[in-house]
Structure formats: structure tokens, C-alpha cells
Amino acid sequence: MRLVFAGTPAASIPTLRALAGSHDIAAVITRPDAPLGRKRVLTPSPVAQVADELGLPVIKAARLDDEVTARIAALRPDLGVIVAYGGLVREPLLQTPAHGWINLHFSLLPQWRGAAPVQRALIAGDAELGASVFQLVPVLDAGDVFAMRTVDVPADATADVALDVLAEDGAALTAEVVAGIADGTARTVPQRGEPTTAPKLTIDDGALEWNLPLEAVYSRFRGVTPEPGAHTTIGGLRVKVLEAAPAADAEALDPGQITATKQAVLIGTATRPLAVTRVQPAGKAAMSATDWWRGLRADDAVRAGA
């Protein structure tokens, strides 16, 4: 099939590679170069870099406006495929390819419609994660589903690790759907169940609430790591929590109470403590949590969240 592909971050790359091996990619649409690093150097998106490597034509666009629609229409694509492009596909672009557009979404739709499905699912403590390929329609993530499956993700996976796993599995799922559309065997079913939404995370979403049970605290940590980052307040200063896990065989502590072992800093929750092993205090480089703790006045007045 003759395809146009829209995607921007690294999570889009496995699907692009899978499709490029079997289909004619007429163009790759991605977001414009963005300033990265301390020197704010303009850098092509991960998808743009891979498209160049594969020798595919690239259209860089911040939004899919009339000009981009005209350029895509001129290519006469059979199908559009979108994976985390970062912008909306509206009419008339929705109907420009002969078979419209399909979207790989990293959720079990209609759960977690929106920009941050993996993060929100982890924060909520969902027992299952998965991927869905659906027909794009004007309503956000509401189209009929071609294929959906749960994906095995490590129980301690943070959002970046979970997304890597889902991206690889979702690429294979998308390739199967495209093959089915090409040979006429693909079928859709309506989404079933009550939708939940997954808006983009903010810095505030990273705040750890120590008065909740350990499971809820750890779920939030996993969901906001690495972005926007888990954090707490110690002595009035914000500290990012970079690495943490449930403490093994540790005595209960009051919510927010802090103590330390040779290996970790333990912070109390409503149930069992969380073991923090790496942190980044405001204005400083990342360091081991025990080194950071030794630099503080470790008395009973120092508590997380205060």
C-alpha cells in the first residue's frame, strides 16, 4: 500500500520501521526541529532522523493545515498511519487517503483516551496495559477498533520502559492491521465500555502524596518517571525522586517520616515505606539518596512533604 506516516517521538519509530519494510511510504509527517539541551540546539525529531536514515521524504509541520493537506493529497495515499504525532487530524485531511487514517494508541480503548495513556494507566495502578489500532474520526480517540491486545510489561516498569515495550508490540499490531486493510480482510468493532481520559501530565502530577498507601505512591512514581518527574518537598525545597522501589522488610514509618539504611532513604507512607535510591535536589546534580541524606540535618523535624 501507498502510505503516509505521521509521528514524532521515539515511540513512533518501531511502527515506521515495520511499515517501511513492506509498504511504499510516500511521506513521513513529523513535528518541526526543536531546541534541545543546554545550548538549545535545533534538533530533528526522532522520527525525522529515522526517516532520513531510511531515505523517506519528510514533511515537517507544527499543525496539519491546508498546505500540508494539499501536499498529502498530491501524493494520493491509500492510507494514513499516525503514532504519537502530537497534533490533530481534521477534515478534509481525515478523508484524503483512500482508506482514511488509522491510529496506534497505547491503551486498551476506550480506557485512557488522550495524550498520556501509559502514564495515566500506571498512576491509576491498572493491572493491564495494552495497545489499540483504530480508525481515526473527528472525536478524540473514539473511532472503531481494528485490533487490540494486552501487552506484558514488567511489574516495576516506569513509564518510559512501559512505553518502549508497548511501542514494539504495537508496531507489530499496526503492521497486521495495515496488511488486513490492503487485502480487504480487516474489520472494525465499536469501542465498548465507559471512556476514561488521559490528559497530558503537568509538573504538579509528579508530587508524591505520602499519606496514601505505598501502592498508590509507587504507582504515581512509575507513571511520572521520567517525565514530568516524581518529586517531594524536604525542608521547603523540592527534591526529584529519580529511582525508588517498595522497601523490603522495613518497619512502618509515619507518612512522610524519613530514615536511612546503607542502601536507601526510606520514606513512610500510609502503609509500608518507599525506598528511594537516587534523587536530584533543586539546583543540583543527580546523586545517591544516601549521599544526599547525609548532607542534611537528619532529625525528626525533617519530613517529606514539608
Side-chain angles (χ1 to χ4, degrees):
M1 293 186 78
R2 186 167 174 82
L3 309 178
V4 289
F5 179 89
T8 299
S12 310
I13 291 173
T15 302
L16 174 59
R17 289 192 182 278
L19 296 177
S22 304
H23 301 277
D24 173 19
I25 309 293
V28 173
I29 304 102
T30 191
R31 304 279 289 183
D33 298 358
L36 297 180
R38 291 186 177 181
K39 295 185 178 180
R40 311 300 288 167
V41 177
L42 281 177
T43 305
S45 74
V47 162
Q49 295 177 48
V50 171
D52 286 341
E53 170 197 321
L54 297 173
L56 301 174
V58 176
I59 299 173
K60 296 180 180 180
R63 55 192 299 268
L64 302 178
D65 55 16
D66 291 344
E67 178 186 354
V68 175
T69 298
R71 293 177 67 181
I72 293 173
L75 299 172
R76 302 180 66 84
D78 297 311
L79 179 69
V81 179
I82 189 165
V83 185
Y85 161 69
L88 297 176
V89 181
R90 298 184 174 90
E91 298 289 6
L93 183 55
L94 267 177
Q95 300 302 320
T96 296
H99 294 279
W101 290 77
I102 62 171
N103 189 168
L104 168 62
H105 197 259
F106 300 116
S107 77
L108 300 171
L109 291 173
Q111 297 177 37
W112 307 121
R113 294 177 179 176
V118 178
Q119 296 93 323
R120 296 290 180 182
L122 290 175
I123 290 171
D126 284 6
E128 292 183 326
L129 300 181
S132 305
V133 179
F134 68 97
Q135 187 79 45
L136 214 60
V137 297
V139 179
L140 181 66
D141 299 337
D144 291 350
V145 175
F146 283 98
M148 178 190 304
R149 66 179 173 221
T150 58
V151 178
D152 290 332
V153 173
D156 60 350
T158 49
D160 54 340
V161 174
L163 187 56
D164 286 346
V165 174
L166 289 164
E168 291 291 342
D169 201 276
L173 189 67
T174 306
E176 293 171 10
V177 170
V178 173
I181 293 172
D183 65 21
T185 60
R187 298 291 183 269
T188 62
V189 295
Q191 295 184 26
R192 295 172 182 168
E194 189 68 25
T196 54
T197 57
K200 185 177 180 179
L201 299 178
T202 68
I203 290 176
D204 290 343
D205 287 309
L208 300 178
E209 299 180 41
W210 303 107
N211 61 335
L212 297 178
L214 172 64
E215 291 76 12
V217 176
Y218 187 49
S219 292
R220 181 165 294 274
F221 166 77
R222 291 173 59 210
V224 300
T225 300
E227 295 293 338
H231 60 84
T232 189
T233 303
I234 308 288
L237 298 177
R238 177 174 290 184
V239 178
K240 287 189 75 171
V241 178
L242 303 180
E243 296 177 6
D249 301 323
E251 293 184 6
L253 299 172
D254 291 337
Q257 183 182 350
I258 304 175
T259 188
T261 68
K262 291 182 179 180
Q263 294 79 30
V265 170
L266 306 183
I267 305 180
T269 72
T271 52
R272 296 183 294 126
L274 183 73
V276 178
T277 52
R278 194 161 183 81
V279 299
Q280 184 175 8
K284 296 184 179 181
M287 63 182 72
S288 77
T290 52
D291 287 347
W292 160 75
W293 181 245
R294 279 194 293 267
L296 296 178
R297 281 191 343 174
D299 58 38
D300 290 341
V302 180
R303 303 176 68 89

